[in-house]
Amino acid sequence: MSEIIDGNATAKSIHQELKDELSKLNFGRPPCVAFIRVGEDPASVSYVKKKGKVAAEIGIESRLHVLPETTEQNELDALIDKLNGDETVDAILVQAPLPKQLNERRTFNRVRADKDVDGFSNANLGLLCQEDPQAFVACTPAGIAELLKRSGVKTAGKKAVIIGRSLIVGKPMALLLSKKGSDATVTVCHSKSENLAEICSQADILIAAVGRPNTVSADMVKEGACVIDVGINRIPSSETKSGYRLVGDVDFKSVSPKCSKITPVPGGVGPMTVAMLMRNTLSAYKRHMAERKI
Ligand code: NDP
């Protein structure tokens, strides 16, 4: 039987570590993260609320800016520019997905690199490519790397297969696992990959970031592999008050008996994404304070 990697417990330990670190700093003001939410997408409302709650627990101030669904690009740009220039704001997060009239790449690149704690800008992705320690690494892949490390999963020399090549999960995950120090041999799969099951069945570490339930079944998993399920899919359910329940991309029931370790959904990667956002915010704050020599 596999070991369940507890993302909630690991994230809680990281929150405590950050809180302890922050309590030893004395820069005259707390760290501050600005959240921008455009519209009322229920998942975005709940994610931003959760991030604000965790920030408060750690001692990080958060300021929420809510713009209407009909916001135009120049209006969003203007708010980002204002926050970029605000010396009391260390970190900026624009909650995705954005309404259709807004361009996500343009928006992410508008955020000043030293405040881009989501790590989605060209500048931070470029720094990650160069293995520069100054890079803010996208929070989900950074959280997975931390989960692997803290769960004792060795990556050096191992075969890692990532299903998904998005800029926010798959691609930065591949860079993190293949960089010096992690030293995995990485294969990235996507919707055009042929023989997906065969490729996945060779993986020592299998990471699914697709957004489709049951993409990974037991026949695709090597005996003893470590399986990380990034997917968050809402499926209708008559058993919950909300009318839906969350499942990942992995068929947990059939896959878990076969692997050595596996993350659940919910309670696996999700909480680690929030923990890494907090870690990046604290790093941005320390950098800003050091520059101001306060
Ligand atoms: P995207 O839709 O941007 O990317 C999905 C990737 O999956 C694409 O590369 C796509 O291929 C690939 N794909 C789609 N169908 C298949 C298939 N049948 N076989 C193989 N590959 C396929 O999604 P994200 O990367 O943003 O997110 C992925 C999942 O992770 C979602 O469920 C999302 O909700 C979740 N997520 C969870 C987070 C967390 O904190 N736990 C954070 C971020 C995301 P192609 O490029 O060819 O289209």
Side-chain angles (χ1 to χ4, degrees):
M1 193 62 193
S2 64
E3 177 193 327
I4 306 226
I5 299 179
D6 188 340
N8 279 324
T10 312
K12 270 202 182 121
S13 312
I14 294 170
H15 300 164
Q16 190 58 50
E17 288 162 22
L18 296 175
K19 195 172 172 178
D20 293 346
E21 187 182 350
L22 188 54
S23 71
K24 291 185 197 118
L25 302 174
N26 187 13
F27 291 135
R29 69 157 177 88
C32 175
V33 56
F35 298 124
I36 302 177
R37 199 187 77 218
V38 187
E40 299 298 326
D41 170 61
S44 296
V45 171
S46 128
Y47 289 147
V48 171
K49 199 168 155 196
K50 173 75 185 167
K51 289 166 187 173
K53 185 168 171 272
V54 173
E57 280 164 17
I58 294 171
I60 296 173
E61 183 193 343
S62 64
R63 296 180 196 162
L64 173 60
H65 300 264
V66 181
L67 298 177
E69 185 81 29
T70 50
T71 299
E72 292 299 333
Q73 188 72 49
N74 60 342
E75 295 169 308
L76 177 57
D77 288 351
L79 175 59
I80 295 172
D81 291 349
K82 189 167 145 243
L83 296 171
N84 277 340
D86 185 338
E87 290 233 328
T88 66
V89 171
D90 300 295
I92 301 169
L93 179 138
V94 186
Q95 184 64 47
L98 292 171
K100 283 189 185 64
Q101 74 278 15
L102 299 171
N103 180 322
E104 284 195 354
R105 287 309 308 157
R106 171 172 162 175
T107 302
F108 296 148
N109 283 318
R110 193 89 184 185
V111 177
R112 227 170 74 178
D114 61 316
K115 298 191 179 191
D116 168 32
V117 283
D118 249 343
F120 294 165
S121 65
N122 292 348
N124 278 308
L125 285 165
L127 290 171
L128 175 61
C129 269
Q130 295 166 55
E131 303 188 8
D132 188 318
Q134 287 285 312
F136 284 123
V137 180
C139 300
T140 301
I144 294 168
E146 195 67 31
L147 261 189
L148 293 174
K149 197 164 108 189
R150 291 185 186 227
S151 310
V153 178
K154 290 204 168 54
T155 54
K158 301 295 177 193
K159 278 189 189 157
V161 173
I162 301 162
I163 322 177
R165 56 176 164 183
S166 72
L167 271 176
I168 67 168
V169 188
K171 282 199 176 82
M173 190 74 249
L175 290 168
L176 273 184
L177 285 173
S178 59
K179 76 173 191 176
K180 286 198 182 69
S182 301
D183 301 316
T185 305
V186 179
T187 304
V188 178
C189 299
H190 45 77
S191 66
K192 307 288 187 296
S193 296
E194 291 179 0
N195 306 323
L196 183 69
E198 190 191 323
I199 298 167
C200 290
S201 66
Q202 292 169 17
D204 301 304
I205 300 163
L206 179 59
I207 301 177
V210 177
R212 204 185 64 147
N214 298 321
T215 300
V216 176
S217 49
D219 59 305
M220 298 166 74
V221 177
K222 179 169 142 179
E223 200 75 47
C226 170
V227 176
I228 304 290
D229 193 351
V230 188
I232 302 178
N233 306 295
R234 288 175 180 225
I235 58 166
S237 169
S238 54
E239 286 159 31
T240 60
K241 232 172 41 185
S242 61
Y244 68 84
R245 66 187 176 93
L246 294 182
V247 298
D249 292 341
V250 175
D251 176 15
F252 187 89
K253 207 170 155 202
S254 73
V255 169
S256 60
K258 216 175 166 185
C259 50
S260 59
K261 293 174 199 272
I262 187 166
T263 59
V265 177
V269 174
M272 290 300 290
T273 300
V274 180
M276 292 301 103
L277 175 70
M278 299 303 141
R279 191 168 80 176
N280 283 351
T281 299
L282 193 59
S283 300
Y285 169 68
K286 287 193 290 183
R287 267 190 234 173
H288 290 148
M289 291 301 136
E291 281 161 16
R292 286 167 207 161
K293 298 191 173 52
I294 292 170

